[in-house]
Amino acid sequence: MEVTRSGSERPLLEADELYRFYHAGRDETFALRGVSLTVGAGEMIAVSGPSGSGKSTLLSCLAGLDEPDGGHVSVDGEWITRQSETERCAIRARSIGMLLQTGSLLEPLTVLDNIRVAQKIIGQKDNGSALELLHAMGLNDHRDAVPSSLSGGERARAGLAVALANDPRVVLADEPTGELDTSNEDVVLGLLHDLAVQGSAVVVVTHSKRVTEQCDRVIELLDGRVVS
C-alpha cells in the first residue's frame, strides 16, 4: 500500500514496496510487507503502530542503516538502497539527520564538540553554525557539558542539534519525545515543525497521540503493513 503526498514536485524521501524479513532457525518473520511512502519538502509525518509493527525497521531502511530484502529507498532523488556502505554513509552525511532514542551523543565529548564532530564528517567547517544550533535549542549554557550531565529534555535537544549539523534535507526521528515531560515535548515538536516549515521532510516514529496530532499525516503500521 502506498501513502503519497499531493503535488507534482519530486519527493525528498521515497520508499517503494519495502520488504524485510528475518530468519531464526526455520522461522521466518516479516518485519515489512510491501511498505511504500513518499514525503515531500515541508511535510512532517508520523509513523505509528504497536510494538513489533515494523516502525523501527522502516526507519532503519529509510536511513540506509538496514538493507530491505525487496524494494528501494531514494533520498532527494538518489538511491540509498543497494549501495556500498561507504556510499550509504556519504548519502546520510549529506542529506539525512537522525535523532535516535539513544546513541545520538558521544559521551566523552561536550555538547558543542558533538556538533562539531558531525560537521567534520562531511568536511564542513564550524563558522559559528554550531553555536547557532545551540542557541536555537536553548542550550547556550550547556555547550561545555557532557551528555550524562544533561536532563532528558536537554539530551533530546542536544541530539537534535547534532542531527541538524549537516543542514539535512530529510530528518528521521525515533521516539524523539518518548522520555520527555509535556514542556520539553512541546519544545522538540516545535523545532521539528519549524524544520518542515523551512523545507525539510520530517519523519517521526512515535507512540504519542500528542505527536501524531501535530503532524501533517499519520502512517499506521500493523504486522509490517500500512493500514491507514
Side-chain angles (χ1 to χ4, degrees):
M1 181 182 295
E2 182 180 11
V3 180
T4 61
R5 178 179 184 269
S6 61
S8 58
E9 66 269 29
R10 183 182 72 188
L12 289 180
L13 180 65
E14 186 171 13
D16 182 50
E17 290 290 319
L18 296 185
Y19 286 84
R20 187 71 174 101
F21 58 85
Y22 302 96
H23 288 102
R26 295 183 177 180
D27 295 329
E28 185 174 81
T29 301
F30 275 86
L32 297 176
R33 303 169 184 256
V35 175
S36 297
L37 63 87
T38 61
V39 190
E43 207 176 11
M44 179 172 167
I45 73 167
V47 178
S48 186
S51 297
S53 60
K55 301 186 302 298
S56 293
T57 300
L58 174 60
L59 203 70
S60 293
C61 289
L62 294 178
L65 296 172
D66 193 11
E67 276 282 270
D69 295 292
H72 74 273
V73 175
S74 62
V75 179
D76 201 10
E78 185 175 15
W79 274 40
I80 196 171
T81 306
R82 289 185 285 283
Q83 302 277 14
S84 68
E85 179 58 30
T86 299
E87 182 58 26
R88 292 202 305 271
C89 286
I91 294 171
R92 277 196 298 273
R94 288 194 302 268
S95 303
I96 299 175
M98 291 201 66
L99 177 58
L100 306 174
Q101 294 186 63
T102 59
S104 293
L105 301 169
L106 300 175
E107 180 58 39
L109 302 181
T110 66
V111 173
L112 180 59
D113 285 341
N114 266 277
I115 299 172
R116 286 173 171 167
V117 165
Q119 291 175 329
K120 286 180 181 179
I121 290 175
I122 60 169
Q124 179 178 327
K125 294 182 179 180
D126 181 14
N127 55 4
S129 58
L131 291 175
E132 290 176 4
L133 277 170
L134 287 177
H135 177 73
M137 302 298 160
L139 293 171
N140 284 333
D141 295 337
H142 301 284
R143 54 182 289 180
D144 296 321
V146 294
S148 59
S149 69
L150 302 176
S151 68
E154 291 163 351
R155 281 195 299 273
R157 283 179 279 148
L160 185 55
V162 171
L164 302 182
N166 60 348
D167 194 21
R169 303 295 312 279
V170 174
V171 178
L172 306 175
D174 190 5
E175 296 284 1
T177 65
E179 298 182 0
L180 304 184
D181 57 28
T182 300
S183 176
N184 279 302
E185 183 178 52
D186 288 340
V187 170
V188 172
L189 282 176
L191 292 168
L192 290 171
H193 183 266
D194 288 346
L195 289 171
V197 170
Q198 293 163 17
S200 294
V202 181
V203 179
V204 182
V205 167
T206 185
H207 285 99
S208 169
K209 184 178 180 181
R210 292 188 74 244
V211 174
T212 60
E213 287 175 344
Q214 297 190 43
C215 292
D216 299 308
R217 289 189 284 122
V218 180
I219 297 171
E220 186 175 356
L221 296 182
L222 181 64
D223 295 332
R225 293 188 176 94
V226 176
V227 294
S228 67

